[in-house]
Amino acid sequence: MKRMLFLGGLPVLCALFLSQGVMVLATPIGSAEQTIHDPAAPALDRAEALMDARDGRHAMRMLDDVLEDYPTHRRALHLKVKLLATTGKLDEAQSIIDPLMQDQPVAAVTLYMQGLIYSRRNDWENALVYYKQAYPYGHDKYSINTITRAYLNVEGTDATFAFLTAHLEKYPEESHVRLVRAKLYQSQHQFEDARADYDALVRAEPENPVPWKNLADMLIEQGDKRAVSHARTACELAPKVPEIMVTLGRALLAFGEAEDALAVLSDARKARPRDPEIAYEYAVALFATGEAAEANTIMNTLAASDTAIGLRARRYLAAPKN
């Protein structure tokens, strides 16, 4: 029987970005009384949703409000550590984790948060040490993603595949792990293996948009027009999710439906106007439909940034156009 992961309050659900509708659970943290009734839970649920939406400023305000009333609330502390670490405030995050590590050195979430801080310092060896300690207590979507990245950085691709495959042999029902392995196969251009995992996922969870989306992304890369129908399926299952709309837009554009692609990507941009990835794909569609002036404005703005998307924009602008 799986054990439930509580961060001092309500169970932590694996939210989708995309959430897989899967919940893998670990040891309880906090008292039974906290688990049964936590007056701070609604505010923390909202703070976590804000973090998922990349609204760190408002999320931090809500977390600080909770901690003002409940200074030792573990879920609030863990969420604050995660937010601080992911925004580069590593020393402040470490100052919160240190007393938690002293108080409960084998608490799974605390171990994961310490691993996260190390990973943000690019100290992957120490990150993996902590992730491995936490792993037996629970393996939800977030923890599997983090330990997979650490394995890749420290022990390489073969060891990472071995870890994921061994896990799936023990827990074959954990679709979020199969999804991670499929994405890793895809990144290594092992498309047949990736396709096998994606096919298994859509058979097991046909209402889950994530494998449909990822399968569409892979088929775009392979030049397979079935990408369009798979992307449409993902959009039907999760309407108005910008990341999925981008996949549909890319698929339509790749197979000659530029006007439809532009319409979809325009909606994605309206839903998330500050997202540089969406801006990039929208600009590509603008070029394809002859809207060069607006496209150049967007692409030049992106190209001015010292980021991965800025590099992509500079390469796109430098490439010859048909």
Side-chain angles (χ1 to χ4, degrees):
M1 182 176 178
K2 293 176 184 173
R3 295 165 291 175
M4 186 156 300
L5 173 60
F6 290 88
L7 302 190
L10 296 182
V12 177
L13 301 178
C14 297
L16 178 131
F17 170 108
L18 294 147
S19 121
Q20 333 247 329
V22 172
M23 191 172 172
V24 183
L25 312 162
T27 29
I29 297 175
S31 68
E33 184 178 355
Q34 278 184 305
T35 297
I36 293 168
H37 175 67
D38 179 5
L44 294 177
D45 289 343
R46 176 61 180 155
E48 196 161 12
L50 289 168
M51 289 167 64
D52 289 339
R54 302 177 187 177
D55 187 352
R57 184 168 62 89
H58 288 102
M60 184 63 77
R61 186 180 302 167
M62 296 195 75
L63 292 172
D64 285 340
D65 287 345
V66 170
L67 288 167
E68 184 175 353
D69 294 330
Y70 307 98
T72 61
H73 195 294
R74 288 190 174 277
R75 183 184 175 197
L77 289 168
H78 285 130
L79 287 173
K80 184 168 183 177
V81 168
K82 182 179 178 181
L83 182 54
L84 289 168
T86 54
T87 54
K89 299 176 181 177
L90 301 176
D91 291 339
E92 189 175 351
Q94 188 66 58
S95 72
I96 297 173
I97 277 293
D98 284 340
L100 294 175
M101 288 292 295
Q102 292 173 9
D103 184 38
Q104 283 192 329
V106 296
V109 181
T110 302
L111 290 167
Y112 273 118
M113 291 301 106
Q114 180 64 81
L116 174 64
I117 293 170
Y118 275 121
S119 70
R120 290 287 169 165
R121 296 187 191 279
N122 288 317
D123 184 349
W124 289 103
E125 290 189 5
N126 274 315
L128 185 57
V129 168
Y130 281 94
Y131 289 150
K132 283 183 175 180
Q133 290 180 57
Y135 166 74
Y137 299 102
H139 17 88
D140 62 12
K141 173 178 176 270
Y142 175 75
S143 60
I144 285 294
N145 284 339
T146 53
I147 195 171
T148 297
R149 190 174 177 199
Y151 262 107
L152 284 169
N153 277 279
V154 178
E155 299 188 10
T157 305
D158 290 344
T160 307
F161 275 127
F163 161 71
L164 293 170
T165 299
H167 181 98
L168 285 167
E169 288 173 354
K170 190 172 183 180
Y171 305 102
E173 76 284 1
E174 292 189 358
S175 59
H176 62 295
V177 182
R178 192 172 302 279
L179 181 62
V180 170
R181 189 176 69 173
K183 290 166 68 176
L184 184 56
Y185 278 136
Q186 184 178 341
S187 73
Q188 299 298 309
H189 297 94
Q190 295 177 230
F191 295 124
E192 289 187 11
D193 291 322
R195 182 62 188 260
D197 271 345
Y198 285 136
D199 285 345
L201 287 164
V202 298
R203 285 195 304 270
E205 297 180 356
E207 302 302 312
N208 182 351
V210 180
W212 290 108
K213 174 202 179 298
N214 287 7
L215 184 53
D217 286 328
M218 186 179 77
L219 292 175
I220 294 169
E221 190 175 354
Q222 293 182 285
D224 187 328
K225 195 171 183 178
R226 287 176 296 176
V228 175
S229 63
H230 291 327
R232 288 193 191 279
T233 298
C235 275
E236 289 167 3
L237 292 169
K240 306 302 182 184
V241 174
E243 292 86 354
I244 294 179
M245 295 165 72
V246 167
T247 293
L248 177 57
R250 290 178 58 241
L252 290 166
L253 190 60
F255 298 103
E257 301 179 48
E259 294 292 342
D260 289 344
L262 181 62
V264 172
L265 291 165
S266 177
D267 287 343
R269 183 161 166 79
K270 289 173 185 174
R272 197 174 289 166
R274 297 181 181 180
D275 189 311
E277 296 280 348
I278 294 174
Y280 175 88
E281 299 296 346
Y282 177 64
V284 171
L286 285 169
F287 275 119
T289 54
E291 303 288 340
E294 185 180 359
N296 272 308
T297 298
I298 295 170
M299 202 66 84
N300 278 302
T301 299
L302 294 172
S305 67
D306 187 20
T307 62
I309 198 69
L311 178 60
R312 284 178 64 194
R314 290 192 292 276
R315 287 175 175 171
Y316 185 91
L317 288 169
K321 307 293 187 293
N322 293 330

